[in-house]
Amino acid sequence: CRKCADIVCFRQQTVFGTGPLNPTVCFMGEAPGAEEDRSGQPFVGRAGQLLTKIIEAMQLKRDDVFILNALKCRPPQNRTPVPEEIEHCNPFVATQLEILQPKYIVCLGAVAVRSLLGLTLSVGSLRGRFHQYRQARVVVTYHPSYLLRNESAKKLVWQDMQMLMLE
Ligand code: URA
């Protein structure tokens, strides 16, 4: 794909996602960062290490869940993806989820929410209850990068993961 003119000349590779078919839970982030762009794997940098901790605290293994991003390519300097870039990547996300058929999707941050649910509301106003995407129940919570900057939001993310685990 070469639709995003500002991205395509800087990316090393696409980062499509990792995990099993028919996962119970899918985690959806924003876009690859520098380490993800280098390695081809999603969530392997600092935010990724925190995501792995969250997954393991849920008594799951990272290999049991599917991890993907709204954007498959790294925006230069890790800037926030613009709406047009999210739209360019949407058909890939939609096809991916159609094949994967997850039972639950966790949207990590506002870009994942915009991509999956088409909503531009804040994470704070959407978290704490279930949403729906086709057959999947959707949980909205804060992005791990946000947690690295705002320790106090960790307890809210943990509440959201407990809501999911109760199901
Ligand atoms: N942040 C994301 O949203 N995705 C990654 O893969 C890494 C960091």
Side-chain angles (χ1 to χ4, degrees):
C1 176
R2 306 186 65 80
K3 281 188 198 159
C4 300
D6 291 345
I7 289 184
V8 70
C9 45
F10 296 108
R11 70 164 180 218
Q12 304 281 320
Q13 57 188 316
T14 56
V15 182
F16 219 71
T18 48
L21 268 178
N22 297 118
T24 305
V25 188
C26 229
F27 287 86
M28 182 164 162
E30 181 173 312
E35 290 178 58
E36 291 80 18
D37 183 53
R38 244 191 321 269
S39 67
Q41 301 293 314
F43 279 102
V44 290
R46 265 187 85 211
Q49 284 162 23
L50 181 53
L51 178 61
T52 303
K53 274 195 188 169
I54 294 168
I55 292 166
E56 288 173 353
M58 296 167 75
Q59 308 292 320
L60 296 168
K61 296 194 187 77
R62 197 178 144 113
D63 288 348
D64 295 338
V65 302
F66 202 96
I67 303 175
L68 74 163
N69 283 304
L71 253 65
K72 307 307 175 196
C73 302
R74 181 194 180 203
Q77 275 84 50
N78 295 350
R79 65 159 169 74
T80 304
V82 298
E84 191 189 27
E85 291 163 348
I86 298 171
E87 268 165 43
H88 286 165
C89 239
N90 256 344
F92 295 117
V93 172
T95 306
Q96 222 172 357
L97 293 172
E98 203 172 300
I99 294 167
L100 291 170
Q101 296 287 330
K103 289 198 178 56
Y104 298 92
I105 303 169
V106 180
C107 282
L108 302 166
V111 170
V113 169
R114 184 173 185 133
S115 166
L116 195 76
L117 303 175
L119 298 173
T120 50
L121 299 165
S122 69
V123 169
S125 68
L126 293 169
R127 59 167 293 277
R129 60 196 154 94
F130 285 98
H131 303 263
Q132 196 75 25
Y133 173 82
R134 299 191 184 165
Q135 306 303 318
R137 303 196 82 193
V138 178
V139 177
V140 171
T141 198
Y142 294 103
H143 192 285
S145 300
Y146 179 80
L147 299 183
L148 291 171
R149 288 177 273 117
N150 299 276
E151 280 262 326
S152 62
K154 282 186 178 173
K155 64 176 185 302
L156 300 176
V157 171
W158 187 236
Q159 278 171 15
D160 296 333
M161 295 307 101
Q162 280 179 313
M163 180 183 83
L164 171 53
M165 285 149 65
L166 271 175
E167 286 269 308

